[in-house]
């Protein structure tokens, strides 16, 4: 049987749930069965017991109150209801050693769920020259390079030690809690990927592989295949 992959969703201005189709398409291509989880979902433990893997998706900013900071003026739109649900789901899934992958906002949520922090706005929080991390090109195209740590799980999906990625964020992970470790950085030092050294399959990336997989990007597809394969053993 195909493993069931729960995919978190977003909330629009009318309170309606929505999700870009790229995420479900990527899971389907990888051999999984995608199930969209409505934002603000209750019965977290029950849902967590019904899925085999979890995909934390991209979206708006993470509420800084969740990691002990007041909101700065550069903070964008937040969705506290979504934050609460996704952090609860992440903690539940990790507690069960369920395969989890976080993408963009999901990368940041995973870090916060385990006790880490994020930069609210990298262009005011960090000194020195930074790359363009909120690209002007279409989201389906890569625009900058990421350097991958040798020996990491991510490195098994990448040809060589560098990969071209798309970039659609102005926040980034900051303090990294155990058991997470950094597995990739942009050439300006921004952390682009994390993974747990204590779990079967817990990892995250700052870019959007679901969009790149629409262009037949093999590295991106391998990430989802890795999630699906690990979920079969759940």
């Amino acid at each position: 049987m195909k493993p069931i992959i729960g995919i978190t969703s977003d909330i629009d201005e009318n309170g309606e749930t929505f999700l870009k189709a790229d995420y479900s398409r990527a899971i389907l291509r990888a051999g999984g069965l995608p199930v969209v989880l409505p934002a603000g979902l209750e019965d977290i433990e029950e849902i967590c017991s019904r899925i085999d893997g979890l995909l934390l998706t991209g979206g708006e900013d993470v509420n800084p109150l969740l990691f002990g900071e007041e909101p700065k003026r550069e903070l964008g739109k937040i969705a506290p209801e979504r934050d609460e649900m996704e952090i609860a789901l992440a903690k539940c899934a990790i507690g069960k050693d369920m395969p989890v992958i976080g993408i963009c906002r999901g990368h940041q949520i995973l870090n916060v769920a385990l006790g880490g922090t994020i930069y609210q706005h990298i262009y005011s929080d960090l000194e020195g020259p930074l790359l363009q991390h909120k690209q002007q090109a279409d989201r389906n195209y890569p625009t900058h390079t990421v350097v991958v740590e040798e020996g990491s799980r991510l490195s098994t999906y990448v040809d060589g030690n560098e990969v071209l990625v798309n970039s659609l964020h102005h926040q980034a992970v900051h303090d990294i809690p155990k058991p997470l470790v950094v597995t990739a950085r942009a050439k300006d030092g921004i952390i682009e990927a994390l993974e747990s050294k204590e779990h079967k399959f817990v990892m995250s990336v700052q870019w959007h592989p679901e969009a790149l997989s629409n262009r037949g990007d093999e590295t991106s597809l391998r990430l989802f295949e890795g999630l699906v394969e690990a979920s079969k053993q759940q």
Side-chain angles (χ1 to χ4, degrees), residues 126-194:
L126 294 172
E127 296 181 356
L130 293 175
L131 301 176
Q132 184 186 69
H133 285 276
K134 199 160 190 177
Q135 69 187 48
Q136 300 304 303
D138 185 272
R139 65 187 291 119
N140 292 343
Y141 291 89
T143 60
H144 75 76
T145 305
V146 163
V147 180
V148 179
E149 289 290 329
E150 184 178 352
S152 64
R153 179 183 294 276
L154 179 60
S155 70
T156 65
Y157 305 131
V158 175
D159 295 325
N161 68 341
E162 293 189 356
V163 61
L164 284 170
V165 303
N166 51 358
S167 194
L168 298 162
H169 66 101
H170 76 109
Q171 298 191 315
V173 297
H174 182 195
D175 296 311
I176 310 299
K178 293 182 179 179
L180 297 179
V181 295
V182 177
T183 57
R185 291 181 184 269
K187 292 190 174 179
D188 59 5
I190 293 294
I191 296 170
E192 294 278 345
L194 301 170

Side-chain angles (χ1 to χ4, degrees), residues 22 24 28 60 87 113 117 125 130 144 160 182 198 204 206 208:
D22 287 347
S24 295
L28 286 169
E60 305 294 347
I87 286 177
T117 66
D125 290 349
L130 293 175
H144 75 76
V182 177
E198 297 179 7
S204 62
Q206 183 61 74
H208 282 269

